[in-house]
Amino acid sequence: MLASLFTLALAATGCAAQTSGGRPQGGRTSAASIPGQGGWRGQGQTAGSPTYNYMFQYTLPLGSVAVPSYTTNVNGVPVEFYEITIEAFQQQMYPDLGPANFVGYNGTAPGPTFMIKRGTETVVRFLNKGTVSAAVHLHGSYTHAAWDGWAADEMEIGQWKDYYYPNSENARSIWYHDHADGHTAPDAYYGQSGIYIIYDPEEDALGLPSGKYDIPLAISDKMYQSNGDLADPTGNRMSFWGDIIHVNNQPWPFLATEPRKYRFRVYDMSLSRPYDLYFVAPDGSWLDFVVIGSDSGLFGGPVKTNDLTISPGERYEIVVDFGKFAGQNITLANKMAQQQVQEFQNTDKVMLFQVGDSVSDSSNNGDVPSVLNPNIDWPEKRTTVDHVFNFQMGGDDMWTINGIDFNNVNNRVLARPPQGTVELWEVRHTGGPAIHPVHIHLVNLQVVSRSGGSRGLLPYETAGLKDVVLLEPGEIVQVLAYYGPWNGLYMFHCHNLIHEDHAMMDVFNVTLLEEMGYDYNSTTSY
């Protein structure tokens, strides 16, 4: 059923009206009338990109589903083999300008969506026919170190690598993207990212919206040149702020929906930009919705809210009910203005939902169950802080952790958690105006506390396990995690990809060497 999710959803959007040029349009609401625009701090701010005159006039792309080259069975375990090519392609982003140049997976952006049944192992051969070296990280997977996308383990142009993924953790919305040393940001920006969903048929009993009512929303921001091509995102080492908001690589799209419940898997695939998302009705009121899961799968129970803060690398799954809005338009908007810049005029708008008048399928349209996942594998409680990490400006490079960057090979291993143990880490924002979404590879995080700043813990941050936690200026966050099941060297870093490239990334070593009597002879201690 889930394997056909995106083709079914494509069919659902096909009811949009067509112009004489074949372009689908939202039709009932102009960009100028969208609620929320009036108070936006960027009102009237001109941007670097050419004016985009097609807001909410192109339908949301849903892309293709990855198809295995072949399948086999090893000791009773199903294994699927896929082949993905990193290659250049062009896509028309401005109808009235020239095409934009991308480099993506199988010539698309985002790349093909993987729909993998829990317990089905995969081997994905990535062949690099792109323009620079590449590495691939399956973000949110507890992958063995050899296939985790170590930044220096790069495929040069013409080379390939087979990546093995176990896919045996609980169902979750994860993603794959480039992780090459020093140029992850431009590689992801130009198209090297894609959606990877691990699903579990046992969740069908929950009655959550499924099939064409289960839709991924990959949000990003970009900037364009006067000829319609993408502008280089690497000119500012502080952060990148695009002025054109994309969903599934389409600027400000619309989606034709039915007046019923939908499940949206929301991804922040921006380089630097966080969002505070909300749904707004034509009368300006905000819709309540429920958050049902985050980076590491379903919550124990749903969390009701009317807005959602999400930062680069994070994912949240939400259920939104359009049942009361037949024949109306609902806008997904953003109210997080960046203090570092005078915000752009239209970055408070994300996409439009054009709600139809009838429901074609009323199944899985009931109340969200009060219990979703009673078996979250929470790490054992621990109150002693094992490591303190300062995410700061200065040190080995512009952006560092405890003054150490990834290029400092003699000192970049900052932690050595014994395999199979739980550690409590404290991460601190200790310098610079930018945000730091902290991503720790391999593990599932429990966000324990947040002090400093003004936010405190958000209810949906603590309702389940995560792999990214947002650090705003002045904040101190404690996270608890079980370090396993594998051993090896893994990265942790800021997922503001501009910072990662310059080079706010270091290493932890999950190991049993100390128990085996080896002396680390370490020169660092944190």
Side-chain angles (χ1 to χ4, degrees):
M1 178 180 65
L2 283 173
S4 60
L5 183 158
F6 300 104
T7 52
L8 286 171
L10 277 170
T13 63
C15 59
Q18 299 286 326
T19 68
S20 59
R23 171 162 52 88
Q25 296 196 74
R28 288 198 296 259
T29 302
S30 68
S33 66
I34 298 304
Q37 185 180 18
W40 185 240
R41 187 164 55 86
Q43 179 80 357
Q45 170 75 6
T46 57
S49 297
T51 300
Y52 188 83
N53 296 314
Y54 308 93
M55 189 176 293
F56 308 143
Q57 295 185 31
Y58 282 86
T59 191
L60 176 75
L62 294 171
S64 62
V65 175
V67 177
S69 301
Y70 67 86
T71 61
T72 188
N73 192 288
V74 179
N75 298 324
V77 177
V79 181
E80 297 178 345
F81 184 85
Y82 294 83
E83 296 175 288
I84 300 292
T85 300
I86 302 167
E87 57 189 350
F89 67 98
Q90 291 187 325
Q91 185 171 335
Q92 195 75 37
M93 306 305 292
Y94 279 78
D96 54 345
L97 298 175
N101 289 285
F102 291 86
V103 178
Y105 300 115
N106 282 6
T108 62
T113 296
F114 287 81
M115 299 295 301
I116 307 299
K117 183 179 179 181
R118 180 187 180 190
T120 297
E121 299 179 357
T122 54
V123 176
V124 185
R125 174 167 294 180
F126 287 93
L127 170 61
N128 185 11
K129 290 187 176 181
T131 57
V132 295
S133 60
V136 182
H137 171 52
L138 182 55
H139 182 137
S141 168
Y142 70 153
T143 307
H144 294 76
W147 301 288
D148 187 55
W150 181 261
D153 181 18
E154 295 172 277
M155 297 170 283
E156 299 299 330
I157 299 171
Q159 294 181 332
W160 54 265
K161 178 174 178 174
D162 290 344
Y163 289 79
Y164 161 72
Y165 304 123
N167 306 316
S168 55
E169 287 190 294
N170 58 297
R172 58 187 60 192
S173 300
I174 60 181
W175 61 305
Y176 61 105
H177 61 80
D178 184 78
H179 214 291
D181 191 3
H183 52 94
T184 293
D187 292 351
Y189 174 83
Y190 283 107
Q192 290 181 56
S193 61
I195 292 165
Y196 191 109
I197 294 174
I198 300 174
Y199 68 91
D200 190 341
E202 292 186 4
E203 291 187 357
D204 291 349
L206 297 172
L208 298 171
S210 61
K212 65 183 180 180
Y213 307 110
D214 182 350
I215 296 174
L217 305 177
I219 304 173
S220 62
D221 59 336
K222 300 184 189 296
M223 192 170 286
Y224 290 87
Q225 305 175 51
S226 59
N227 64 357
D229 201 358
L230 286 164
D232 186 346
T234 61
N236 188 337
R237 297 178 68 183
M238 184 68 69
S239 290
F240 172 79
W241 308 116
D243 54 8
I244 307 293
I245 302 299
H246 297 62
V247 186
N248 298 356
N249 208 42
Q250 171 62 47
W252 292 296
F254 83 96
L255 178 67
T257 69
E258 300 175 12
R260 54 153 292 158
K261 290 185 174 72
Y262 280 75
R263 177 180 186 173
F264 296 114
R265 302 171 188 259
V266 185
Y267 293 71
D268 186 351
M269 293 189 183
S270 301
L271 301 189
S272 305
R273 182 183 292 279
Y275 302 83
D276 193 351
L277 302 171
Y278 63 103
F279 293 84
V280 59
D283 64 1
S285 62
W286 293 15
L287 279 63
D288 289 333
F289 57 93
V290 293
V291 189
I292 61 171
S294 60
D295 305 341
S296 301
L298 291 178
F299 294 161
V303 176
K304 185 178 179 180
T305 185
N306 65 4
D307 73 312
L308 178 75
T309 297
I310 186 170
S311 66
E314 288 188 291
R315 292 87 63 208
Y316 283 102
E317 299 185 30
I318 63 176
V319 173
V320 181
D321 189 359
F322 297 123
K324 298 179 180 178
F325 302 96
Q328 301 181 55
N329 284 346
I330 303 297
T331 305
L332 178 59
N334 167 43
K335 69 183 183 75
M336 185 174 288
Q338 302 308 312
Q339 296 183 3
Q340 302 170 39
V341 294
Q342 175 65 26
E343 263 297 356
F344 304 119
Q345 182 175 2
N346 290 315
T347 46
D348 61 338
K349 294 177 273 294
V350 179
M351 67 175 291
L352 187 76
F353 298 91
Q354 184 186 35
V355 186
D357 297 317
S358 62
V359 175
S360 63
D361 184 351
S362 59
S363 62
N364 294 332
N365 193 32
D367 293 337
V368 174
S370 59
V371 177
L372 295 168
N373 179 12
N375 299 312
I376 296 176
D377 191 13
W378 299 104
E380 294 181 6
K381 298 294 184 183
R382 184 172 175 81
T383 58
T384 301
V385 174
D386 295 283
H387 298 283
V388 175
F389 297 116
N390 296 311
F391 284 72
Q392 65 187 60
M393 291 185 75
D396 289 341
D397 204 319
M398 180 171 179
W399 300 106
T400 62
I401 306 171
N402 288 356
I404 306 296
D405 75 2
F406 189 70
N407 299 314
N408 189 339
V409 296
N410 292 325
N411 295 289
R412 66 189 180 189
V413 179
L414 302 188
R416 295 178 173 86
Q419 184 180 2
T421 64
V422 172
E423 289 199 347
L424 180 64
W425 290 11
E426 184 171 283
V427 293
R428 299 178 175 181
H429 191 302
T430 56
I435 63 156
H436 302 312
V438 177
H439 174 42
I440 304 177
H441 288 219
L442 176 67
V443 301
N444 299 310
L445 305 173
Q446 181 182 1
V447 183
V448 176
S449 67
R450 174 181 283 110
S451 58
S454 59
R455 295 188 302 145
L457 288 176
L458 302 175
Y460 45 80
E461 280 186 300
T462 61
L465 297 173
K466 297 178 54 57
D467 56 57
V468 177
V469 62
L470 174 59
L471 268 182
E472 291 188 346
E475 290 185 343
I476 299 173
V477 175
Q478 291 186 349
V479 293
L480 199 63
Y482 169 84
Y483 286 85
W486 326 120
N487 55 40
L489 293 170
Y490 288 89
M491 298 167 289
F492 70 111
H493 57 88
C494 178
H495 217 284
N496 181 332
L497 296 184
I498 301 296
H499 298 180
E500 178 183 327
D501 284 348
H502 292 291
M504 191 176 257
M505 179 164 64
D506 282 304
V507 180
F508 62 96
N509 185 1
V510 181
T511 180
L512 291 176
L513 288 178
E514 189 172 31
E515 293 184 13
M516 298 169 65
Y518 288 87
D519 183 2
Y520 288 124
N521 192 28
S522 175
T523 59
T524 61
S525 178
Y526 296 104

